[in-house]
Amino acid sequence: ADIGTTAGIVISVSDGEQSASLPAFSLTVSQMGGGTATLSWMPPQQNTDGTPLTNLAGYHVYYGTNASSLSKSVTLASPGIAYMVTDLSPGTWYFAVKAYNTANVESILSAKVSKTIL
């Protein structure tokens, strides 16, 4: 019931003096059967100032059964566009993504999406 696409996700990062944002992208949760959730997104190609994005190192996918506390995570060390979360128990699961660069600077958390496993 909660599968779908969340559009307009923007990832931003700041070191306290300067900030940068990636272009907006969408995150899709697709139903693949009981106990799994397939997440997919469009990787950013440029910074919001129009310069090419050259230092994207990967993503951190966060998930859990409490939208306020995503207690599980996985690191995707190469900038991919999809990931299948497996072995999910019945219930509603929430998912969000952060990008990180080669300096290991992490973006803000994307919008959360959810999927109910029956």
Side-chain angles (χ1 to χ4, degrees):
D2 293 317
I3 61 175
T5 300
T6 300
I9 298 170
V10 176
I11 298 175
S12 301
V13 64
S14 173
D15 64 3
E17 294 179 20
Q18 296 184 358
S19 62
S21 297
L22 301 176
F25 63 94
S26 298
L27 182 66
T28 302
V29 175
S30 305
Q31 185 169 351
M32 297 297 291
T36 66
T38 300
L39 308 174
S40 63
W41 55 89
M42 294 299 300
Q45 300 296 311
Q46 62 184 12
N47 297 307
T48 55
D49 65 2
T51 60
L53 178 63
T54 58
N55 61 350
L56 178 63
Y59 301 96
H60 297 291
V61 176
Y62 296 93
Y63 62 103
T65 56
N66 182 334
S68 299
S69 175
L70 303 177
S71 59
K72 298 179 180 287
S73 68
V74 63
T75 297
L76 306 177
S78 61
I81 58 169
Y83 181 73
M84 181 183 288
V85 183
T86 60
D87 299 322
L88 299 173
S89 59
T92 301
W93 288 82
Y94 300 89
F95 307 88
V97 177
K98 289 184 178 184
Y100 67 92
N101 66 19
T102 53
N104 207 27
V105 175
E106 195 174 57
S107 70
I108 62 171
L109 194 65
S110 71
K112 294 175 187 166
V113 295
S114 64
K115 179 180 181 181
T116 299
I117 305 295
L118 302 175

